[in-house]
Amino acid sequence: MADITPLRGEGRTVGRITGLYGELLSEFLGTFVLIAFGDGVVAMAVAALPGSGRTAGPTVIFQAAGDWLLITWGWAMAVAFGVWVAGGVSGAHLNPAVTLAFAVRRKFAWAKVLPYMAAQVVGAFVGAALVFLVYFHAIDAFNIAAKTPRSSGHALATYSIFATFPASYFHGGIPGPLIDQIVGTAFLLIFVVALIDVRNSAVQSNLTPLAIGFAVAAIGMSYGANAGYAINPARDFGPRLFAYFAGWGKVALPGSYSAPGFNFSDYFWIPIIGPLIGGVLGVIIYDLFIGDVLHARLKKNEDVSGPIPETQLSEESGSGV
């Protein structure tokens, strides 16, 4: 509210946060919320519920689809509230893939791309640190019960609280997980740009963040098991970096694991490169199949010259994850 005195007072500091610096603060906090609740729900499913005696045993996880639904809906709410928190300042990209795609096709300033990405990664790192602080005892209890200390290189279950890894049926191969991340993120960007396109069936009121959360849930339910549906380089790399420093070692970075019938090596780059490619492809696909059609129809009906605004947001805005 306008009548609330700013914490920084009314001096020069307030003026400095009206531009890029303020947007970076927004991206940091929005991504922090995203990870605090996204990684938080995985910590619940993997460590807290088993360790608290609410499952059949201290290491019993993923007995049925219900655990996966808990995670997918938890991430959906994490996305929605992250976008609600940050949307009014930065547009709540919260995802380097969204930032890059918006620079390519939505006139987002290229000069802001790397700063936005950095703020997102740092926010994700700090969000992961908070989850570790809150669930430290549950995580260690699980590792003790499973006889997989963090430093052993085999604590894959508790590592999965923070970042992703490929399914065993890929046998350590690169093409399968990479294609998965490209496809999942392409769908994410198709959904995001459709939801904010006022020429299309755009979400009304302030429900766009919730709809984007539903989009993430849909991707997780349909494509999540292949590679953990990171679909966001910051969401994966920030917590992965934290997990490395917190003791998970090579399982986190470079992302290597070996066990009978299940191994992968140097995986860390796939949830970075795949989403960046997929995000750009997604926004281009939307424009080719939908955006250009809407543009042409409006041009014909209104007989106007020049481009027609896609959204009512500023060029720096846009909601993503």
Side-chain angles (χ1 to χ4, degrees):
M1 295 176 62
D3 60 346
I4 296 176
T5 302
L7 290 174
R8 294 174 175 83
E10 296 287 357
R12 293 175 59 190
T13 303
V14 171
R16 285 198 294 268
I17 63 176
T18 59
L20 177 60
Y21 179 47
E23 294 170 25
L24 299 183
L25 292 176
S26 172
E27 285 296 302
F28 168 86
L29 185 60
T31 312
F32 168 81
V33 170
L34 169 68
I35 299 303
F37 283 85
D39 282 2
V41 74
V42 184
M44 277 284 290
V46 169
L49 289 175
S52 66
R54 291 177 172 85
T55 60
T59 61
V60 176
I61 57 175
F62 292 113
Q63 278 190 304
D67 287 334
W68 191 252
L69 288 175
L70 169 66
I71 288 173
T72 54
W73 283 116
W75 272 106
M77 294 299 100
V79 168
F81 284 104
V83 176
W84 263 314
V85 165
V89 175
S90 66
H93 294 187
L94 315 187
N95 183 340
V98 172
T99 299
L100 179 62
F102 276 38
V104 170
R105 284 295 304 169
R106 289 303 181 271
K107 297 183 179 180
F108 182 75
W110 281 100
K112 295 182 179 182
V113 169
L114 290 181
Y116 263 54
M117 290 180 176
Q120 293 154 2
V121 171
V122 175
F125 182 96
V126 178
L130 178 67
V131 171
F132 183 75
L133 175 67
V134 172
Y135 285 108
F136 171 82
H137 296 289
I139 290 170
D140 273 9
F142 184 97
N143 284 333
I144 290 171
K147 298 180 181 179
T148 55
R150 275 179 274 154
S151 60
S152 68
H154 291 91
L156 188 63
T158 51
Y159 157 76
S160 72
I161 291 170
F162 300 100
T164 63
F165 61 89
S168 60
Y169 45 72
F170 289 123
H171 303 294
I174 290 174
L178 183 62
I179 291 170
D180 170 85
Q181 287 300 289
I182 292 172
V183 169
T185 315
F187 274 122
L188 175 64
L189 264 294
I190 290 171
F191 298 154
V192 166
V193 293
L195 289 167
I196 65 174
D197 190 346
V198 296
R199 305 167 305 175
N200 204 335
S201 301
V203 179
Q204 301 301 309
S205 186
N206 191 28
L207 294 178
T208 300
L210 183 60
I212 293 173
F214 288 162
V216 172
I219 294 167
M221 291 175 190
S222 296
Y223 292 96
N226 276 335
Y229 74 109
I231 58 175
N232 180 338
R235 170 266 174 275
D236 191 85
F237 185 71
R240 181 183 295 273
L241 189 62
F242 173 80
Y244 174 79
F245 287 120
W248 274 270
K250 67 178 183 179
V251 179
L253 280 173
S256 299
Y257 177 79
S258 181
F262 187 19
N263 66 84
F264 53 87
S265 299
D266 303 319
Y267 182 76
F268 79 96
W269 64 272
I270 292 177
I272 297 174
I273 301 301
L276 292 175
I277 296 171
V280 173
L281 285 177
V283 74
I284 290 174
I285 289 169
Y286 178 83
D287 284 349
L288 283 173
F289 286 86
I290 304 297
D292 285 0
V293 177
L294 293 171
H295 181 81
R297 286 183 174 181
L298 285 173
K299 293 271 284 189
K300 179 180 179 180
N301 292 338
E302 299 182 12
D303 191 25
V304 297
S305 61
I308 297 173
E310 178 187 6
T311 73
Q312 296 173 335
L313 302 176
S314 67
E315 69 177 25
E316 289 84 12
S317 296
S319 295
V321 52

